Amino acid sequence: MRNSTYIKALLNFSKEQRIGILLLFALIIGLQVVIYFVDFSSEEKSSLDKNNWLSLQSNIDSLKQEKPQSGYKIYPYNPNFITDFKGYKLGMTTAQINRLLEFRKQGKFANSPEEFQKVTGISDSLLKAMSPYFKFPDWVNKKNSQQSRGKGWIDYSKNNFEKKDKKTVILDINTASKEDLMKVYGIGDAISDRILKQKEVFGAFVSMEQMNDIWGLSPEVVEKLNQSFKVVNPKPNKININNASIKELGQFPYFKYPISKNIVTYRSMNGDIKIEDLTNIKAFPVDKIKIIALYLEF
């Protein structure tokens, strides 16, 4: 009787104890369900995939380096006029491009692939890739050809018997096309566009002296331009200096805002401006007065 009482007392749990036992059973069952349904091998599989990709990364990098650049087609060009952007696209370093620019600032030209390499310091492999696209002027090619045949070699081809005093055809700079301008040694794609854009702003050039105001044209190239072009009966866009506002005057390339303001101020104080009054206007570019006057109406 005493033993049965003892066992009965053990089986009589309090409310808190019963709740604890139920939670323990629920936890055990929940863990069993998770173990049964969840695949813990996926993390291991992901790690294996990652390692496989990493092992192939070196091959991917090498293929990227071998893949040629797309969207940049190379056309024949004069290597003396390579821009920073073009040099970069061709594979030249900043230092190599700077050496070429410094060389050109001295008014010098590289007239062969070997000389270009000597000036820039590019590698043999880069020279081999670039040189097939080099386009030197005809007189340079002819000179190099004669030098390669020897000092005493004389070209008896048909062209040598043409008249040496054949006159050069001089074109009107205001009707010149992009192709006409690029025939002048020293003028490339960018500078020819710059000349045509400047002509469009003015309506027409009134003097070949205006070539000196175009950025990028060296005195040597300007001299060659003067040998091939001239100004013929220009019809420029004119601006009425006595009626134009400060904003309208400021659109004229030779008038900055301070000059435009000074013109209007002088006009308001002295009445209509005459050509002889231009020198009295503060900060007026008197060194270009003969050219500017051809664009003005009084």
Side-chain angles (χ1 to χ4, degrees), residues 195-220:
I195 294 172
L196 293 173
K197 185 176 181 181
Q198 192 78 326
K199 183 192 72 174
E200 185 179 345
V201 171
F202 284 115
F205 293 116
V206 296
S207 170
M208 288 301 293
E209 289 182 23
Q210 291 174 276
M211 299 300 106
N212 294 308
D213 300 328
I214 296 175
W215 184 83
L217 281 177
S218 66
E220 295 82 6

Side-chain angles (χ1 to χ4, degrees), residues 1 30 39 43 46 81 94 97 110 155 162 182 185 204 230 257 264 279 284 292:
M1 187 71 177
D39 184 8
E43 184 176 349
S46 175
F81 301 101
T94 304
I97 297 170
D155 185 6
E162 293 180 357
M182 290 181 68
Y185 185 68
K230 64 180 180 180
Y257 174 78
V264 173
T279 55
F284 195 90
I292 293 174

Side-chain angles (χ1 to χ4, degrees), residues 40-256:
F40 291 97
S41 64
S42 60
E43 184 176 349
E44 182 181 356
K45 183 178 179 181
S46 175
S47 179
L48 289 173
D49 290 341
K50 183 178 180 181
N51 291 333
N52 289 335
W53 276 111
L54 289 173
S55 65
L56 294 173
Q57 187 62 45
S58 59
N59 293 333
I60 294 171
D61 292 339
S62 62
L63 289 173
K64 284 182 178 179
Q65 292 176 356
E66 293 175 4
K67 184 179 178 181
Q69 294 180 345
S70 59
Y72 187 77
K73 188 174 180 180
I74 302 176
Y75 296 94
Y77 58 92
N78 187 329
N80 288 290
F81 301 101
I82 290 176
T83 61
D84 291 347
F85 175 76
K86 189 177 182 69
Y88 166 76
K89 297 297 286 186
L90 292 170
M92 295 176 68
T93 64
T94 304
Q96 291 166 351
I97 297 170
N98 288 339
R99 290 190 200 107
L100 176 63
L101 296 177
E102 288 298 323
F103 181 75
R104 284 292 298 112
K105 283 181 182 178
Q106 302 172 29
K108 298 178 181 179
F109 296 90
N111 293 322
S112 68
E114 294 75 20
E115 191 174 356
F116 180 80
Q117 183 182 31
K118 184 178 179 181
V119 170
T120 58
I122 62 173
S123 64
D124 293 338
S125 59
L126 184 55
L127 179 67
K128 185 178 179 181
M130 293 174 64
S131 58
Y133 299 98
F134 285 179
K135 183 180 180 182
F136 296 103
D138 292 338
W139 69 268
V140 173
N141 294 330
K142 189 177 291 185
K143 179 182 176 182
N144 291 338
S145 176
Q146 289 179 356
Q147 288 176 347
S148 66
R149 291 171 182 259
K151 250 184 178 181
W153 180 81
I154 301 175
D155 185 6
Y156 290 100
S157 64
K158 180 180 177 182
N159 290 336
N160 267 3
F161 293 96
E162 293 180 357
K163 291 182 180 180
K164 292 186 178 179
D165 60 346
K166 186 177 180 181
K167 292 183 179 180
T168 303
V169 178
I170 300 179
L171 303 176
D172 181 3
I173 189 68
N174 288 311
T175 60
S177 65
K178 182 183 178 75
E179 291 71 22
D180 293 330
L181 293 169
M182 290 181 68
K183 289 177 183 178
V184 176
Y185 185 68
I187 295 182
D189 183 73
I191 294 181
S192 59
D193 283 342
R194 209 171 293 150
I195 294 172
L196 293 173
K197 185 176 181 181
Q198 192 78 326
K199 183 192 72 174
E200 185 179 345
V201 171
F202 284 115
F205 293 116
V206 296
S207 170
M208 288 301 293
E209 289 182 23
Q210 291 174 276
M211 299 300 106
N212 294 308
D213 300 328
I214 296 175
W215 184 83
L217 281 177
S218 66
E220 295 82 6
V221 178
V222 171
E223 184 179 349
K224 290 183 174 65
L225 270 171
N226 282 308
Q227 294 170 2
S228 301
F229 299 95
K230 64 180 180 180
V231 174
V232 181
N233 299 324
K235 295 180 180 179
N237 296 330
K238 293 203 172 188
I239 182 169
N240 192 313
I241 196 169
N242 289 310
N243 293 328
S245 63
I246 294 178
K247 183 178 180 181
E248 290 169 337
L249 289 167
Q251 293 173 352
F252 183 55
Y254 290 115
F255 291 163
K256 303 294 185 182

